[in-house]
Amino acid sequence: MSKMTIGIDQLGFYTPNYYVDLVDLAQARGVDPDKFTIGIGQDKQAVPPSSQDVVTMGASAANEFLTPDMKQDIGLIVLGTETGIDASKAGSLYIQQLLNLNPWSRAIEIKEACYGATAGLMLAKDYIATHPGKTALVIASDIARYGLETGGEVTQGAGAIAMLVTENPRIMALGDVSSYYSEQVMDFWRPVYTDEAIALGKYSTEQYIRFFELTWADYQKQTGKQLADFAAMTFHLPYTKMGLKALRTALPEADAVKQADLLAKYEESIQYSRQVGNIYTGSLYLGLLSLLEKNTNLQAGDEIGLFSYGSGAVGEFFTATLVDGFRSQLHAEQHQATLDARTQLSVPDYELVFKDKVPYAADNYQADPARFAGDFVLSGVTDQQRQYQVNE
Ligand code: COA
């Protein structure tokens, strides 16, 4: 009998239907556009209206692939987010309701900056190993918000990735060995009174690289594997130049041909993020999705490296192996069409949408119905309760 594999069976994606062009933003901020498009490596930034939050985006991403049969087998629903809408209650409970998921399940939320969804994925893997026949829905959903005219503004974004984790997955099987490392580091955090993160930008990029070097070296020590054993390396992408900085530290381990191949695959992995921006805990998985959907020569059996980083900080290097028929489970044309169909906002309009937000107060709030989009919306807040509905 062959060994049971556990991994990603389905990958869904959602991003809001508005974006701001970063050349426009650069000009409005008096910055050379090349800094944003080349130096940071971003072209467009998703702009979420207040009717989109981690619940609506996460539910829409999962709704892309969920069938009634799939819903029955789900026994674990994890929302990884650092943009939670409640300090106590898990956002996955609203998602469970919106998607009519099986109530005989564990519905929780995991927080550790951009690492939350990876923690969810690892929890799901262990859960499935001990609950044969059960599946897990792991959702990464976030709004990256640093504030108007801040250093981090160019690296904002919004979106969600949903993953169905199963036995004998149809996209990729997770490897048995991974390396994880945690250390209390003040590189990025968000006090509970505000929806804008505090980032020590330069310091956070240094920590990211340090955590990659630590976990990559430890993974190699545990397994004896070389860079050349990997068909592609994917990274958490707070902005697309960031992963490249980490990849470059490992590249000298491979010959020139392999280096060129890994750089070409890296380029494929950043195509979606260039158009969406940072989606925090989903960014690694948006990079993975982009690689799988933009690449044409990866094959079943190819092993992919994944580096997850959450400021604060936790890093994990782990691997996944593509399985037969993986391409037939992807939605490349649909995803690019969704990105192309978005509405461009001028910088003044982006600023208006940015400022129209659910208040950090007990006041009732009504989201602008003219900006409703996606499968689900937050219509407002009444008596301190968030009101979600299907977008008719
Ligand atoms: N043409 C091309 N490149 C240019 C340029 C131009 N005209 N002007 C600047 N650049 C390059 C710089 O050389 C630099 O490249 P490098 O990183 O390869 O050295 C890059 O653009 C960024 O410039 P820099 O001056 O370092 O940017 P910044 O001070 O505005 O900070 C961040 C950039 C990412 C740190 C900032 O946006 C931030 O704080 N983001 C939020 C936190 C974050 O995302 N952290 C990531 C780890 S989790």
Side-chain angles (χ1 to χ4, degrees):
M1 203 181 89
S2 65
K3 185 171 157 292
M4 178 175 83
T5 59
I6 299 172
I8 300 171
D9 185 77
Q10 297 293 307
L11 271 168
F13 167 49
Y14 180 80
T15 189
N17 63 322
Y18 296 114
Y19 72 91
V20 62
D21 191 290
L22 293 182
V23 172
D24 290 353
L25 187 67
Q27 282 161 353
R29 300 292 180 249
V31 172
D32 179 353
D34 286 353
K35 174 177 174 184
F36 287 2
T37 57
I38 301 167
I40 302 279
Q42 295 298 134
D43 296 321
K44 293 174 180 172
Q45 179 175 114
V47 179
S50 62
S51 48
Q52 293 294 314
D53 68 5
V54 296
V55 166
T56 64
M57 294 191 301
S60 293
N63 206 30
E64 196 180 76
F65 60 75
L66 281 177
T67 62
D69 280 353
M70 284 180 192
K71 291 182 188 184
Q72 271 317 305
D73 294 334
I74 294 171
L76 176 68
I77 308 162
V78 184
L79 172 63
T81 184
E82 56 181 300
T83 331
I85 41 93
D86 192 295
S88 171
K89 178 171 174 165
S92 50
L93 289 157
Y94 298 106
I95 293 176
Q96 181 196 32
Q97 183 182 41
L98 289 172
L99 295 173
N100 294 312
L101 299 179
N102 185 355
W104 295 99
S105 55
R106 295 176 178 147
I108 59 164
E109 183 171 312
I110 292 187
K111 173 177 67 184
E112 183 0 61
C114 302
Y115 174 75
T118 302
L121 187 60
M122 296 305 157
L123 181 71
K125 182 168 174 270
D126 292 351
Y127 169 76
I128 290 161
T130 51
H131 296 79
K134 284 289 183 189
T135 68
L137 180 63
V138 178
I139 295 174
S141 186
D142 268 312
I143 297 173
R145 224 178 134 92
Y146 295 93
L148 302 176
E149 299 181 39
T150 60
E153 185 180 27
V154 61
T155 66
Q156 295 178 148
I161 293 281
M163 297 180 268
L164 189 69
V165 186
T166 69
E167 285 171 37
N168 304 318
R170 288 174 288 176
I171 296 180
M172 62 206 311
L174 291 166
D176 288 332
V177 180
S178 71
S179 175
Y180 38 86
Y181 181 83
S182 302
E183 187 185 314
Q184 203 286 104
V185 174
M186 290 305 283
D187 61 334
F188 176 111
W189 65 100
R190 181 167 67 82
V192 287
Y193 65 83
T194 175
D195 60 9
E196 289 169 7
I198 300 168
L200 305 185
K202 293 275 158 52
Y203 184 57
S204 70
T205 64
E206 287 164 18
Q207 299 311 309
Y208 175 118
I209 292 170
R210 182 167 73 91
F211 276 59
F212 170 67
E213 290 178 331
L214 282 169
T215 54
W216 170 235
D218 179 67
Y219 176 84
Q220 288 185 293
K221 206 169 130 199
Q222 286 190 59
T223 60
K225 284 199 177 156
Q226 310 289 318
L227 187 59
D229 293 325
F230 290 92
M233 296 280 274
T234 56
F235 294 84
H236 168 47
L237 298 171
Y239 55 99
T240 70
K241 183 76 156 304
M242 185 67 248
L244 183 61
K245 287 173 191 254
L247 176 61
R248 280 179 181 153
T249 68
L251 277 182
E253 298 169 29
D255 65 26
V257 173
K258 187 67 191 175
Q259 288 191 20
D261 182 42
L262 289 171
L263 285 168
K265 300 267 181 31
Y266 182 80
E267 204 49 44
E268 289 164 343
S269 78
I270 64 174
Q271 295 309 309
Y272 286 163
S273 293
R274 286 193 76 97
Q275 301 170 66
V276 170
N278 193 359
I279 61 167
Y280 285 159
T281 191
S283 292
L284 166 62
Y285 303 97
L286 184 59
L288 174 68
L289 187 69
S290 182
L291 171 72
L292 298 182
E293 295 192 342
K294 297 295 178 192
N295 172 278
T296 53
N297 56 24
L298 284 166
Q299 297 173 358
D302 281 349
E303 194 163 17
I304 295 174
L306 298 101
F307 174 64
S308 181
Y309 176 77
S311 288
V314 180
E316 181 154 350
F317 182 84
F318 62 106
T319 68
T321 303
L322 294 171
V323 301
D324 276 336
F326 72 93
R327 253 189 207 98
S328 66
Q329 302 302 317
L330 303 171
H331 310 280
E333 281 171 25
Q334 184 193 322
H335 287 149
Q336 190 54 55
T338 304
L339 289 170
D340 294 344
R342 295 178 300 171
T343 303
Q344 181 175 353
L345 295 179
S346 65
V347 174
D349 283 346
Y350 142 69
E351 292 182 348
L352 284 177
V353 173
F354 190 91
K355 287 176 188 160
D356 175 14
K357 57 183 189 173
V358 178
Y360 263 65
D363 310 350
N364 284 349
Y365 174 79
Q366 170 68 54
D368 181 357
R371 297 205 187 280
F372 283 6
D375 297 344
F376 307 101
V377 291
L378 172 78
S379 58
V381 182
T382 308
D383 297 334
Q384 304 196 57
Q385 296 186 22
R386 294 172 89 87
Q387 308 296 318
Y388 291 104
Q389 65 185 52
V390 174
N391 186 25
E392 304 296 347

